[in-house]
Each structure stands twice: as structure tokens, then as C-alpha cells.
Amino acid sequence: MAKVGVISLGCAKNQVDAEHMMHRLRAHGYTLVSDVSKADCVVINTCGFLESARSEAIENILEVAALKPEGTVKAIVVAGCMAQLLGEEIRREMPEADVVVGLAGANRIEEAVARALAGEQYCETAAPEALALGGARILGNAPYFAYLRVADGCDNRCAYCLIPTIRGRFRSRPMEEVVEEAETLAAAGVRELNVIAQDTTRYGEDLAGHSLLPALLTRLCRIEGVRWVRVLYAYPDRVTDELLDVMAREEKIVPYLDLPLQHADGDILRAMHRRGDEASLSALLAHIREKVPGIALRTTLIAGFPGETEAQFETLCRFVKTQRFERMGAFAYSREEGTPAAALPDQVPEEEKARRVEILMEEQSFIAEARNAEQVGRVLPVLVEGYDGFVKMHFGRSPYDAPEVDGKVFFTAPARIAPGEFVNVKITDVLEYDLAGEQV
């Protein structure tokens, strides 16, 4: 049977799609290979959220296409978000892509590969809501953690965002289906579940009229073998006392919340089609910290949104300095064709956006180092991820670090420890965004 390589770009939600595709391909007799230069067909699961992500996808298509003359790679299937957004344009402008399928193409990816290898060239983009959200998976990351997608799509309609256009309306998976998948993952050795959706806190509103996330988290914590449960992509308007009470009560839920706030100035947030201002967001964060003592808060911010004045940017800077987020990322506003924000006046120059991001991240580097210094002397549980032969130390993540976006804990140990094990580490030093210590 033919060999297939899968390249997945973009966010964790996209990775879950790729993991479903890999399972379908293997189940239909294809051999999966990690080295795409040895593949007969390469599936590129693209991200289409930002111009930079689409540029990365195009680079990957061209890099794989360059392997065709060497004789091994015979076909390329482009799938995922960029394919959903720009399907016919990709086929027209990039003949290197033999087959282009949108999000729902993951449901029959084996058919797309077979037709591509047979020499067919076509584009097929059904409604994004046709994408099957469940099903068996082959984990694309380490076997001890997994992303657990509870919903897809988004109805928030933020002015800068293409996600509703690309991935369709918000829709939750049935709770029984989610729990069953979590039990299967735990039985296969997964110890950390990272709960994801475009808006995780909205989970279940379309099914029950109110958020079912607290109830779901409670059930996930009852699954044998699961050690950590982490909530990513929470929406500030939907962080309820019920959710916070569950997070405080359940030992398996790590004291960590990913809460993308985007800005702190009220006028900018309204222009973004979001709610809140510096005062209300500060009150929310104080309430979260009070309800869940010791919680680590992660946020993402956008600098240079159209019309952002120097005074409004100063509001954002003051907010960052005051709130002292444990984890934070800042990004320059990206003008995306088809979004309301793209048509707004007073677009901020690229160099000014970059300057503002640099200011935010420099301030955050000081905050992160100071926050990490507070950990010196503490003993933290660490999920071991590997061993660094160069520094001769193990490394892993604490409860305060999400996979792939946050820092690491480097530590010495008397013996080699297998990835996926949990150990206690006494923190002895700070490496800016990372920590160092010794197993105890």
C-alpha cells in the first residue's frame, strides 16, 4: 500500500483534525511515514487564520512539491483551514497541489489520497459544519498528553477574526462522546488532558442552554489514569463561579487558565466586537485569583489594532504591568481580508505594530522572571518530557505550563526517568521563562 506523510500546521484544534486523518489513513491500509521525502503522497493540513500562517502553508506546499522531480512524492493533498478558505484559488494558483479539500475532507481523507495518487486533480470544500468532530485518533505528539476537543466553530464574531468564516458556527460534542474519548485516551496512557475549543467556556450552551463545562470537567476528573486536566481558550465573559468552584475543588484540574483577553482599553475592545474594559477585566482577574488561589493565568494580547492610539496602548501596557500575568503572548494585529476590522480607518503601520509588541513582550519578560523567582524553594510536580544531553538535565512541565506554548522545568535526577512520569522537583534557579531544580 502507498506511503503517506502528514504535515499539520497551526493550532491544537488543527492537530486534532490531523490525528483523525492519520487514523483513517492507517485504517484504510496506508502506511504512515514521518519523513515526507519517503512518502508517495503528502497531506498538508493547513492553517488559514492569519496571513503569516497562510504563507507558512504555501512554503510547505512548495517545499514538498520540490520533492516530486526526485521521484518519490507523487501527489499532494492540501487540507484544513486554508483549503476551506481559499480552495479554488489554491487549485488555480498552485498547480503543485493535486487535490484540495476543506475541513470536511478529513472525513474521507483516504478517498482524497487515493484519487490524488490516481492522477486526479480537483477541489472540494463542503460546509465546515460537516466536519466530524469525534472518532479514533493517532496522537501526533507525545503519548502522555492529548488535546481533547469539546466543540468547534465560533459565534463570537470578533472583528479581526476569520474563524467563524473558516470553521463555521459553534457546535458542541455530546458529553458522553467526549467522556468516552477521554477514557480511551487514558487507557492508552494519556495522563494530561488539555480541553480545547474555539471558545471552551461556551461548551454545551447549544445543547443545554447553559455551559456544561463544569459538569464535563467534573466527569473528566473521575477517569482513572488521568492526572492533570487543563482548560485552554476560555472566554472572559463566560468564566462563571460554577466553573471556578469546580477548578478549586477538583485536584486533577491544574491551577491554570488560558484566557485570551486581546486588549484592555474599552473603546478598542468595542471596536473588536468584544466586551469589557480595564476596570471590568481587572475585577474579573482579581475574582479568579480569589476563587482559585495560586492559579496561573495565561493571556494573549493584540497590539496595533486599527485606531489604537498611543494613549490606548499605554492603557494596555499599564494593564500588563498591573496584572502581572504568569504567562502572556502579544501579537501584532494582522489585517485579514473579509473581516470587519480590515475595513476600519486608521490602520497602524507595520513597524509601529512591531514596536508595540516588542514593548509588551519586554515588559512581560521582566514579569515572568520575577514570577518565576517566586517559585525558588518550592517543590513542584513535573510531568517529565525528556532528557537534554547537552545540559545533562531532564526537562518537563509543571502544572503552570501548557504544552508547546509555555516554559519548561529543567532538573537533575539520580537516574534516568521515562517521559510521561511525574516527579517532584525542588526549584533552585530561574532561566527567564524556564525554571531549574533537582528531583526530590
Side-chain angles (χ1 to χ4, degrees):
M1 196 62 158
K3 298 176 181 178
V4 181
V6 177
I7 297 172
S8 189
L9 306 172
C11 69
K13 281 88 66 178
N14 230 31
Q15 181 175 323
V16 172
D17 289 338
E19 291 171 350
H20 288 308
M21 286 191 274
M22 288 192 292
H23 180 270
R24 290 194 65 88
L25 289 166
R26 180 175 288 176
H28 284 82
Y30 290 101
T31 300
L32 298 175
V33 294
S34 56
D35 184 351
V36 296
S37 69
K38 294 180 170 59
D40 298 297
C41 180
V42 177
V43 176
I44 304 175
N45 189 37
T46 59
C47 176
F49 180 46
L50 299 173
E51 179 60 38
S52 57
R54 296 192 291 275
S55 296
E56 181 187 15
I58 290 168
E59 289 173 8
N60 273 267
I61 294 169
L62 295 176
E63 287 174 6
V64 174
L67 298 172
K68 281 186 173 182
E70 298 177 13
T72 303
V73 175
K74 301 175 181 63
I76 298 173
V77 175
V78 177
C81 288
M82 188 177 80
Q84 183 73 35
L85 184 68
L86 302 174
E88 288 295 347
E89 184 177 335
I90 295 170
R91 276 292 304 125
R92 185 171 62 251
E93 302 294 334
M94 299 194 72
E96 297 88 351
D98 299 285
V99 169
V100 179
V101 291
L103 292 167
N107 301 344
R108 304 186 311 279
I109 192 64
E110 70 283 355
E111 177 185 321
V113 168
R115 293 174 66 180
L117 286 170
E120 290 190 51
Q121 294 189 329
Y122 68 93
C123 173
E124 187 175 275
T125 53
E129 290 86 356
L131 170 67
L133 301 184
R137 300 158 58 184
I138 295 176
L139 294 184
N141 47 251
Y144 46 81
F145 82 89
Y147 296 105
L148 183 66
R149 178 169 58 190
V150 300
D152 200 41
C154 190
D155 294 340
N156 290 324
R157 300 285 173 181
C158 297
Y160 50 81
C161 186
L162 280 169
I163 286 175
T165 300
I166 297 172
R167 300 198 75 99
R169 60 176 176 77
F170 181 85
R171 54 210 184 276
S172 303
R173 297 174 62 193
M175 189 181 299
E176 293 302 326
E177 179 184 299
V178 176
V179 172
E180 183 179 351
E181 179 179 359
E183 290 172 340
T184 300
L185 291 167
V190 169
R191 298 294 169 257
E192 176 187 19
L193 295 172
N194 294 276
V195 180
I196 61 169
Q198 270 72 28
D199 178 357
T200 306
T201 33
R202 192 171 189 165
Y203 170 70
E205 282 190 9
D206 52 326
L207 302 177
H210 60 89
S211 176
L212 295 177
L213 183 60
L216 173 64
L217 293 175
T218 301
R219 291 193 60 180
L220 295 179
C221 290
R222 302 292 177 266
I223 298 175
E224 185 177 352
V226 171
R227 176 80 174 265
W228 286 353
V229 177
R230 189 183 305 275
V231 179
L232 302 177
Y233 310 113
Y235 200 77
D237 290 10
R238 298 187 176 93
V239 176
T240 63
D241 279 354
E242 184 185 11
L243 172 62
L244 296 175
D245 288 341
V246 170
M247 293 184 68
R249 181 180 70 241
E250 296 291 345
E251 291 185 1
K252 289 185 179 182
I253 302 179
V254 295
Y256 178 106
L257 187 62
D258 174 42
L259 194 69
L261 299 176
Q262 313 304 3
H263 214 281
D265 180 83
D267 289 337
I268 290 294
L269 285 167
R270 279 187 287 277
M272 288 179 168
H273 297 174
R274 296 174 68 92
R275 289 179 286 276
D277 54 23
E278 184 179 12
S280 65
L281 292 177
S282 296
L284 171 64
L285 298 178
H287 184 64
I288 293 172
R289 292 190 188 282
E290 180 183 6
K291 296 281 286 185
V292 189
I295 192 170
L297 294 176
R298 158 170 274 282
T299 197
T300 51
L301 303 170
I302 296 174
F305 188 80
E308 183 188 59
T309 64
E310 192 64 36
Q312 290 168 326
F313 176 65
E314 286 300 323
T315 297
L316 184 58
C317 290
R318 181 175 64 243
F319 182 70
V320 169
K321 290 177 182 179
T322 303
Q323 295 305 319
R324 299 182 71 242
F325 292 100
E326 285 79 4
R327 310 284 183 261
M328 190 198 89
F331 304 91
Y333 163 74
S334 178
R335 189 178 189 178
E336 299 299 326
E337 184 179 348
T339 63
L344 289 175
D346 303 319
Q347 297 282 331
V348 178
E350 293 297 327
E351 60 272 16
E352 177 60 20
K353 289 190 286 188
R355 184 187 74 86
R356 294 179 184 184
V357 169
E358 186 177 353
I359 290 171
L360 288 171
M361 291 312 300
E362 183 177 17
E363 181 61 37
Q364 180 60 22
S365 70
F366 298 138
I367 294 169
E369 193 163 6
R371 282 288 196 185
N372 276 343
E374 297 168 4
Q375 304 298 322
V376 174
R378 290 188 62 192
V379 175
L380 301 179
V382 171
L383 173 56
V384 180
E385 295 186 307
Y387 181 81
D388 189 324
F390 182 74
V391 297
K392 294 182 171 53
M393 299 177 81
H394 290 83
F395 61 90
R397 291 182 289 106
S398 78
Y400 311 112
D401 300 299
E404 301 173 323
V405 293
D406 293 328
K408 303 287 187 185
V409 179
F410 292 86
F411 64 95
T412 57
R416 286 292 181 93
I417 306 167
E421 295 295 320
F422 286 86
V423 298
N424 290 323
V425 175
K426 183 176 182 179
I427 304 303
T428 58
D429 201 2
V430 175
L431 309 170
E432 193 176 15
Y433 289 105
D434 299 320
L435 296 170
E438 58 189 18
Q439 183 186 3
V440 293

